[in-house]
Amino acid sequence: MLRVWRRPRLLRRGNVLASAFSSSSATEAHDADIAEKTATASPKYDHVRKLIVGLGNPGDKFVNTRHNVGFMAVSHFLETYVAKVTGQQLQLQHEASSHGDVTRFRVGFQQNATDKDYVYPIDDLVNRSSKRAKDRTLKEGVPHDEVNVALLLPTTYMNCSGTAVRGFMQTHRWRLKKNPLALNRHDELLVVTDDVSLPFGECRFKAKGGPGGQNGIRDIIKCVGTERFARLRIGVGAPHWFVGGNTGAPAGTAMDKHVLGRFNGDEQEAMPDLLNYTNELLRLYLHRGVAQATTHGNSMDLQRFLKQYGASHKARHQ
């Protein structure tokens, strides 16, 4: 009589395929071993490196101009938040190979930590990104607890900012992730820039996309070869003739004159609050990632921030 061999039936148990003829006790032991290793494994997004680039033009001629608000936000973040968290007065150092001023540090998430003049309460912007985020923060901390950060201020002038970003990436072997929204170990890039299409005081994260008329972003896209990097756009307002687009714009370089001009009196008075607001947005990005920063940061503006967090936040910066 002809005997037909049949392939053993396979059963899926846990994370392994087990033969129907295999020992159940051996399979259970194997499953338990895998579960234990999975439970003790570190999250896949540990030790992420983040590069924050502030766009602007070098030189005293351009200090406090609208086009330099990226410089201002990143410098303020370094001088206030980073200095008080790390306990060091870090300085930007010129790096010829990166065509810009650079500093690097490691920063940990501060929750309910207090020093002589800075407090991080549990109801700050990072923790309050949602009710679920607040509950999880109280229980588990944040997704990016420890972050390796580099700050870069290009000295190539705005329209050649990509040269500096590419130089830094080549010098420090920076590798951008394919998906800016993914939580993984690949490096992240956030570009902080001005945006005339947003009113003064509004800030918006964007995970990826085209230049939107910003020449610095356009050059970065050209030099790094991808649009897949995050941006923090800081509204500097548009000239009165720009409402509804360029209709009615004067001839010549009127928009250039606007962005290279200095903030008016009311805007200068509000600038400390705006820079404190961008501090919280950058901190939100560092410890929760661009997806959470986009979701929560884009639902707020300077006035709402001051109304919701203003009293405690001003106390921290006085």
Side-chain angles (χ1 to χ4, degrees):
M1 180 178 178
L2 181 64
R3 302 181 65 180
V4 179
W5 180 85
R6 294 179 180 273
R7 183 178 180 180
R9 184 164 54 94
L10 297 180
L11 303 176
R12 182 173 293 276
R13 292 176 179 170
N15 294 323
V16 297
L17 287 174
S19 168
F21 301 147
S22 64
S23 167
S24 61
S25 59
T27 303
E28 290 172 0
H30 189 266
D31 285 352
D33 183 55
I34 291 178
E36 182 179 356
K37 290 180 179 179
T38 303
T40 57
S42 58
K44 63 180 179 180
Y45 42 82
D46 267 2
H47 311 304
V48 67
R49 298 192 303 176
K50 300 194 178 188
L51 169 62
I52 300 177
V53 180
L55 297 191
N57 292 305
D60 295 339
K61 176 182 177 181
F62 301 102
V63 171
N64 294 330
T65 59
R66 293 181 178 89
H67 228 17
N68 273 35
V69 74
F71 270 17
M72 296 165 66
V74 173
S75 298
H76 183 76
F77 184 66
L78 175 65
E79 294 165 3
T80 55
Y81 175 74
V82 174
K84 291 170 181 177
V85 170
T86 62
Q88 305 175 54
Q89 197 65 45
L90 300 173
Q91 301 292 329
L92 289 159
Q93 302 290 335
H94 185 72
E95 194 171 88
S97 59
S98 298
H99 304 279
D101 298 334
V102 178
T103 189
R104 293 185 293 166
F105 52 91
R106 185 176 178 86
V107 63
F109 175 61
Q110 301 291 317
Q111 180 171 293
N112 282 347
T114 307
D115 61 27
K116 62 181 180 180
D117 58 356
Y118 209 89
V119 182
Y120 313 101
I122 196 61
D123 64 344
D124 64 12
L125 200 60
V126 178
N127 296 289
R128 289 286 294 277
S129 55
S130 69
K131 184 180 184 303
R132 178 181 296 180
K134 180 180 179 181
D135 294 340
R136 290 191 65 180
T137 301
L138 287 167
K139 183 178 179 181
E140 305 173 11
V142 291
H144 299 163
D145 187 24
E146 296 284 338
V147 187
N148 296 305
V149 186
L151 305 181
L152 169 64
L153 301 185
T155 54
T156 55
Y157 291 95
M158 176 70 76
N159 292 357
C160 298
S161 299
T163 302
V165 176
R166 180 176 58 192
F168 179 92
M169 292 173 63
Q170 292 174 345
T171 300
H172 299 280
R173 298 182 179 180
W174 211 262
R175 180 188 174 194
L176 291 181
K177 58 175 63 177
K178 294 182 179 179
N179 179 7
L181 296 175
L183 293 174
N184 58 32
R185 295 190 183 192
H186 288 184
D187 304 322
E188 293 185 0
L189 168 62
L190 174 72
V191 179
V192 184
T193 182
D194 62 295
D195 194 321
V196 296
S197 66
L198 294 175
F200 179 86
E202 283 194 17
C203 300
R204 294 290 180 266
F205 282 100
K206 186 178 181 181
K208 58 184 178 179
Q214 223 287 348
N215 290 332
I217 297 290
R218 179 178 287 108
D219 195 60
I220 293 174
I221 292 173
K222 174 185 174 182
C223 290
V224 303
T226 181
E227 298 180 349
R228 294 177 177 271
F229 58 86
R231 306 98 197 262
L232 173 58
R233 300 151 51 216
I234 302 175
V236 296
H240 64 87
W241 48 261
F242 189 74
V243 177
N246 281 312
T247 304
T253 57
M255 183 57 77
D256 290 347
K257 291 180 180 178
H258 175 71
V259 296
L260 294 177
R262 286 178 167 78
F263 293 99
N264 62 38
D266 292 339
E267 292 169 342
Q268 290 181 19
E269 185 177 349
M271 186 57 66
D273 287 332
L274 176 60
L275 294 179
N276 290 339
Y277 175 41
T278 58
N279 265 14
E280 294 297 303
L281 292 174
L282 290 174
R283 183 168 173 250
L284 177 65
Y285 162 74
L286 285 182
H287 296 300
R288 286 213 176 273
V290 67
Q292 280 283 355
T294 302
T295 299
H296 186 56
N298 289 9
S299 64
M300 185 168 289
D301 58 25
L302 177 59
Q303 296 305 317
R304 289 185 61 189
F305 171 75
L306 292 176
K307 182 178 179 180
Q308 189 167 354
Y309 304 98
S312 61
H313 197 272
K314 284 185 177 181
R316 286 187 266 161
H317 290 272
Q318 289 176 349

